[in-house]
Amino acid sequence: MGELLGSIAFSLIVIAVIAGAWAWISTLFRKGAMALLGFDRVCVQQFETVLLYRNGRFEKALPPGRHRIRAGSRQLARIDRRPEVFRFAQGAVSADRIAINLVYVVRAQIVDPRAAFESTQNYRDEVSIRLQSVVKAVCSRKPRLEIQLDHQSFSNSAQKAASQVLRAIGCECLTFELLQVDSAGPIAELDHRRMGFAAE
C-alpha cells in the first residue's frame, strides 16, 4: 500500500515537472528569453505612440519599434497619430447679423499623444466641439459677403484659430477648407418667422 502511494506521488511529481518544463519552453519560444525574467515585448507601429502607465502614473512614451517592458501593474494606451478628416455642416451668424450655413472640411492630427489621452475621454468629440466654436467666432468677425466671396481668407483665419484652440488637447489643425456658404437671411427675419410659427 505504501509502495502504491509512493508510486502515485512520484508520478504526480513527474507530471508536474513535465508540465512546468513545457510551460517554460512554450514561453521561451513565444515571447523570448526576456519573458522568463518578467519582461513583455511591445511592438509600436510607425504611425502610433504607446503611452506606458504604471500603477496609474505616466512613466514614458514608447516610440515606433520593438520594446521590452517589465510586466506588472501597467497600462498601455495606443495613440494613433495619423491625420483624421472631419466634415461639418453648421449654421452661424456673420458680423452683419446674417444667418449663414457653412459646409467645411478639417484635417486634424494628434501632435502630443499624452495631452490628447489625458485631457479628454474622447478627443474626437472634443475636436468637433472646439472646431465648431472656432467657426462661430470667426463668422462673428466677418461680414456675410466677405465669407461668401473669399473662402481662402476665411479658411486661413479658421485654421490659425483652430490650431491655437486644439493645442490644449494635444492636437493641431493641418488644413481647413470652406466648401460652401449659403445665406439664410437676416437674424431679425428669422426671429420673426420663428415667432410666427410659434403663434400658429
Side-chain angles (χ1 to χ4, degrees):
M1 186 67 178
E3 290 180 4
L4 179 62
L5 290 175
S7 165
I8 291 173
F10 179 76
S11 298
L12 291 175
I13 290 171
V14 169
I15 291 171
V17 169
I18 291 172
W22 174 252
W24 187 84
I25 292 170
S26 175
T27 301
L28 180 64
F29 279 110
R30 279 188 297 109
K31 297 186 176 181
M34 296 297 287
L36 299 175
L37 301 176
F39 287 87
D40 284 339
R41 188 181 341 186
V42 175
C43 182
V44 182
Q45 301 297 327
Q46 185 66 37
F47 55 82
E48 68 180 359
T49 296
V50 172
L51 304 177
L52 173 63
Y53 290 82
R54 197 174 298 280
N55 296 318
R57 295 188 178 202
F58 176 77
E59 189 168 287
K60 62 181 175 178
L62 304 177
R66 293 184 178 274
H67 302 272
R68 296 281 186 183
I69 59 172
R70 187 171 293 281
S73 265
R74 60 172 176 75
Q75 174 196 7
L76 298 177
R78 291 186 179 270
I79 309 298
D80 193 325
R81 293 183 289 106
R82 288 174 290 186
E84 192 164 350
V85 176
F86 298 82
R87 181 185 172 92
F88 298 92
Q90 176 184 345
V93 179
S94 63
D96 48 356
R97 303 290 294 164
I98 303 293
I100 52 177
N101 296 314
L102 306 94
V103 177
Y104 57 97
V105 174
V106 176
R107 287 177 72 247
Q109 181 178 25
I110 292 176
V111 292
D112 184 343
R114 184 181 176 189
F117 181 70
E118 293 182 357
S119 62
T120 177
Q121 287 186 346
N122 187 327
Y123 91 92
R124 289 179 182 86
D125 288 346
E126 188 71 26
V127 166
S128 297
I129 290 169
R130 289 180 183 233
L131 286 172
Q132 292 177 68
S133 296
V134 163
V135 168
K136 282 185 179 179
V138 174
C139 283
S140 70
R141 295 192 297 267
K142 293 179 178 285
R144 186 262 306 172
L145 200 57
E146 181 182 336
I147 296 171
Q148 285 185 309
L149 296 180
D150 192 355
H151 286 198
Q152 189 59 51
S153 175
F154 183 92
S155 296
N156 292 341
S157 298
Q159 180 184 354
K160 184 177 179 182
S163 284
Q164 291 177 346
V165 169
L166 295 181
R167 196 169 294 127
I169 57 169
C171 298
E172 182 182 3
C173 179
L174 300 177
T175 62
F176 186 106
E177 185 178 1
L178 181 61
L179 301 177
Q180 182 179 333
V181 182
D182 296 318
S183 175
I187 293 298
E189 286 184 17
L190 292 176
D191 289 341
H192 289 319
R193 284 180 200 161
R194 288 195 192 103
M195 289 174 65
F197 286 135
E200 290 174 6

